[in-house]
């Protein structure tokens, strides 16, 4: 009889151990599913630049300019472009930075123009849709732009810097064709320091175990409402190629 009771106790202990192992295993899986995942993207943006610059010799006036991609590549002095996404569950933190220094790049009504510019985007996203077919997230955040055009008029160089901050709202996500091929997209609009600004991106990508590569087209437009600033408007538009690393 005591032997039977001892056997029952062993069965109960094994059952309890199995239940505990099952619960801990599920908890670990849940923690793994909700752990942070990060992606660093380094990309090249072959963007042409056009817009309106305020000529210092004629206050209140503006002159249109256009800098094609080939001129930018020829006169490029410094460039850095990168993006960051940290994601946990349905929430994500996103950031993007573009720094460009283009020298002697355009002649505007007998005015030589150099452009140095920072564009920073940062925000928080929340997934409205999460399926095997793709993700759709709403994004809210800020966009910062700093621009310093150096304008040379009759051998005299004048420099005037300006910056602005816009609040932005938009959508971002992916459409999955299969486990490897996908279509990334992004769109936002903002206002605040500018009259308005907006950004559009769409492309195609391919996933690997270590990350992904993507090719697309990006368009970024600023319309300023400050006649005293260095620029009246600025648009960057062109193809993008990026490599993303997941960890």
């Amino acid at each position: 009889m005591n032997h039977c009771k001892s056997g029952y106790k062993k069965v109960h202990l094994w059952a309890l151990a199995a239940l505990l192992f099952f619960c801990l295993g599920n908890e670990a899986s849940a923690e793994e599913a909700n752990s942070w995942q990060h992606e660093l993207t380094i990309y090249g943006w072959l963007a042409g630049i056009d817009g309106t610059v305020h000529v210092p010799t004629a206050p209140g006036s503006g002159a249109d300019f256009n800098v094609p991609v080939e001129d930018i590549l020829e006169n490029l002095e410094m460039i850095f472009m990168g993006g960051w996404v940290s994601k946990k569950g349905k929430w994500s933190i996103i950031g993007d930075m573009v720094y460009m220094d283009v020298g002697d790049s355009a002649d505007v009504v007998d005015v030589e123009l150099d452009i140095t510019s920072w564009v920073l985007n940062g925000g928080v996203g929340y997934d409205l849709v999460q399926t095997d077919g793709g993700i759709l997230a709403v994004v809210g955040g800020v966009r910062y732009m700093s621009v310093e055009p150096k304008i040379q008029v009759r051998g005299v160089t004048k420099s005037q810097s300006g910056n602005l901050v816009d609040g932005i709202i938009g959508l971002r996500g992916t459409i999955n064709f299969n486990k490897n091929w996908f279509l990334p997209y992004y769109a936002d609009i903002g206002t605040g320091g500018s009259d308005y600004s907006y950004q559009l991106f769409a492309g195609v990508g391919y996933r690997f175990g270590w990350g992904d590569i993507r090719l697309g087209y990006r368009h970024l437009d600023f319309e300023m409402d400050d006649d005293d600033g260095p620029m009246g408007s600025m648009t960057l538009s062109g193809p993008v190629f990026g490599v993303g690393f997941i960890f």
Side-chain angles (χ1 to χ4, degrees), residues 6-226:
S6 177
Y8 281 126
K9 286 181 179 179
K10 289 181 179 180
V11 171
H12 291 160
L13 287 174
W14 278 108
L16 181 61
L19 180 61
L20 183 61
F21 178 80
F22 177 77
C23 291
L24 289 176
N26 280 351
E27 183 178 353
S29 299
E31 287 180 358
E32 185 177 352
N34 289 316
S35 62
W36 284 99
Q37 184 181 66
H38 311 284
E39 181 174 15
L40 171 66
T41 302
I42 305 298
Y43 62 90
W45 186 12
L46 299 178
I49 307 175
D50 58 46
T52 303
V53 62
H54 293 147
V55 181
T57 55
S61 67
D64 294 336
F65 69 92
N66 176 271
V67 188
V69 173
E70 55 268 26
D71 286 357
I72 289 178
L73 294 177
E74 181 180 350
N75 297 284
L76 195 62
E77 296 180 357
M78 180 65 181
I79 189 170
F80 179 81
M81 303 178 184
W84 179 276
V85 177
S86 293
K87 187 173 177 64
K88 182 178 182 180
K90 292 188 174 184
W91 291 96
S92 57
I93 301 171
I94 62 175
D96 180 84
M97 180 177 71
V98 176
Y99 173 74
M100 186 180 299
D101 186 353
V102 184
D104 299 338
S105 57
D107 288 327
V108 183
V109 292
D110 299 323
V111 176
E112 193 174 273
L113 175 66
D114 300 356
I115 298 175
T116 302
S117 179
W118 284 91
V119 180
L120 306 175
N121 293 273
V124 176
Y126 182 81
D127 292 352
L128 302 176
V129 177
Q130 266 188 355
T131 69
D132 292 338
I135 294 174
L136 170 64
V138 62
V139 176
V142 295
R143 176 162 39 244
Y144 169 82
M145 185 192 73
S146 173
V147 62
E148 182 180 358
K150 295 179 182 178
I151 304 170
Q152 189 177 78
V153 185
R154 301 182 187 91
V156 178
T157 300
K158 296 181 179 291
S159 177
Q160 182 182 4
S161 62
N163 57 76
L164 59 87
V165 178
D166 280 350
I168 60 173
I169 186 168
L171 298 172
R172 68 182 298 269
T174 58
I175 298 173
N176 297 327
F177 300 123
N178 52 47
K179 70 176 184 178
N180 296 114
W181 289 98
F182 66 101
L183 189 156
Y185 60 90
Y186 179 91
D188 71 39
I189 188 168
T191 189
S194 71
D195 190 14
Y196 68 87
S197 63
Y198 69 91
Q199 182 171 204
L200 302 171
F201 168 79
V204 63
Y206 188 86
R207 296 187 180 95
F208 299 90
W210 47 265
D212 60 63
I213 59 174
R214 59 188 69 186
L215 176 67
Y217 195 90
R218 181 177 180 182
H219 179 90
L220 176 60
D221 189 287
F222 289 93
E223 296 294 331
M224 287 66 139
D225 57 2
D226 184 6

